[in-house]
Amino acid sequence: MKLFISADIEGVTGIVNWNEADIEKSFSKYFTEQMTKEVNAACEAALAAGVEDILVKDAHSTARNLDPSKLPEQVKILRGWTNNPYIMMAGLDSSFDGVFFIGYHSAGGKNGNPLAHTMNMRNEYVKINGEIASELTINAYTAAYTGVPVLLATGDKMICEDAQKLNPNIKTVPVSEGIGNASISIHPNLALQKIQEQVQAVLADDLSKYMVQLPETFHVEIAFREHYHAYSGSFYPGAKQTGHKTVAFETNDYMEVLRFLFFVL
């Protein structure tokens, strides 16, 4: 069995402030360590369940957050950015049997996490087919596009609920719940225990139940904080400015969605 893990930090246990997510700041050391521990918990449980091949994509900011030496020796890690449209899912292909999302967070335009955003801080929200789309939604559709099921999502309560809207079978570990510019988190050690338990449960199940259904057509809308980004984005082939701060794109090919987001978002 072959497993792909995409790891972010704004959904790890206890995090509430942007300085805690910035590796250039001293505040981040604890949270990069916790991010590593949560990924490690998933890896150890997967290996114990018989998974033979794990690729971890460090998918936050600089993509240099995880400590590779604290992961099992059997694990490979993709650090840095490949600069292709898969972005946080770089390295994924149809040879994988499942995807885990670790440390994920609520979307820009939602209030489930003090650090809620989608890909960057230039936009207010991204919508796909009229619904606010998180990084998890975008990446789950990438998994579906490659024919790989989404098995597990960990992070704030709202992103876990969003994952189960994509497929109610997806196992989740909600480690925090946002309240305004704060959050209530479980104990970090309990988060590790719950991650291991859910990994064990999902890998003992029929993985075909966890496939996310890819829509047949896509209407994508980005609302930017600054109006000139919408104007600039309208020059992408097939894109159209739909408001002072919004740009839209339509296609029936998800790879074209990823290209649009890669160049415009």
Side-chain angles (χ1 to χ4, degrees), residues 1-244:
M1 187 178 291
K2 190 175 180 182
L3 186 66
F4 184 92
I5 299 177
S6 178
D8 207 351
I9 201 171
E10 291 94 348
V12 304
T13 312
I15 195 165
V16 294
N17 184 276
W18 287 111
N19 285 333
E20 295 171 345
D22 182 353
I23 64 168
E24 301 298 329
K25 303 290 196 324
S26 60
F27 297 99
S28 74
K29 185 175 186 299
Y30 168 84
F31 291 98
T32 55
E33 290 176 351
Q34 181 63 22
M35 179 185 179
T36 302
K37 288 178 181 178
E38 292 184 13
V39 170
N40 182 66
C43 289
E44 287 187 340
L47 292 168
V51 173
E52 298 175 343
D53 192 346
I54 301 176
L55 175 62
V56 175
K57 175 69 188 90
D58 189 324
H60 170 68
S61 185
T62 61
R64 296 184 285 110
N65 308 278
L66 295 168
D67 182 348
S69 71
K70 299 295 177 60
L71 300 179
E73 292 182 2
Q74 301 95 316
V75 173
K76 295 187 290 293
I77 183 168
L78 177 52
R79 303 178 74 239
W81 295 108
T82 61
N83 289 321
N84 70 45
Y86 272 37
I87 311 177
M88 299 173 75
M89 302 296 281
L92 180 70
D93 59 37
S94 61
S95 69
F96 287 87
D97 296 291
V99 168
F100 290 174
F101 296 122
I102 304 293
Y104 268 58
H105 55 83
S106 296
K110 290 193 173 184
N111 66 351
N113 188 316
L115 307 181
H117 69 282
T118 302
M119 302 307 294
N120 57 53
M121 301 305 294
R122 298 199 316 165
N123 69 83
E124 294 283 354
Y125 64 74
V126 176
K127 288 184 178 180
I128 298 178
N129 295 340
E131 298 289 333
I132 288 179
S134 65
E135 294 167 9
L136 185 146
T137 301
I138 294 167
N139 295 338
Y141 283 163
T142 301
Y145 180 77
T146 57
V148 182
V150 176
L151 308 181
L152 173 73
T154 79
D156 62 65
K157 179 182 178 183
M158 185 173 287
I159 200 62
C160 290
E161 292 171 347
D162 287 350
Q164 293 192 318
K165 290 176 185 176
L166 293 171
N167 184 326
N169 294 307
I170 295 173
K171 304 296 185 188
T172 64
V173 181
V175 300
S176 65
E177 181 176 3
I179 303 175
N181 197 37
S183 71
I184 298 174
S185 296
I186 64 175
H187 193 281
N189 292 342
L190 180 59
L192 305 183
Q193 176 185 325
K194 288 179 175 291
I195 289 170
Q196 290 190 318
E197 290 171 352
Q198 292 295 66
V199 169
Q200 292 166 359
V202 73
L203 293 179
D205 203 359
D206 175 6
L207 302 189
S208 66
K209 300 190 308 186
Y210 296 80
M211 190 68 70
V212 170
Q213 184 175 358
L214 196 64
E216 293 183 1
T217 62
F218 303 91
H219 176 85
V220 185
E221 179 185 273
I222 303 171
F224 287 101
R225 297 181 187 274
E226 303 291 346
H227 61 84
Y228 52 83
H229 292 309
Y231 172 74
S232 175
S234 71
F235 289 93
Y236 183 85
K240 176 172 64 172
Q241 187 166 3
T242 54
H244 296 292

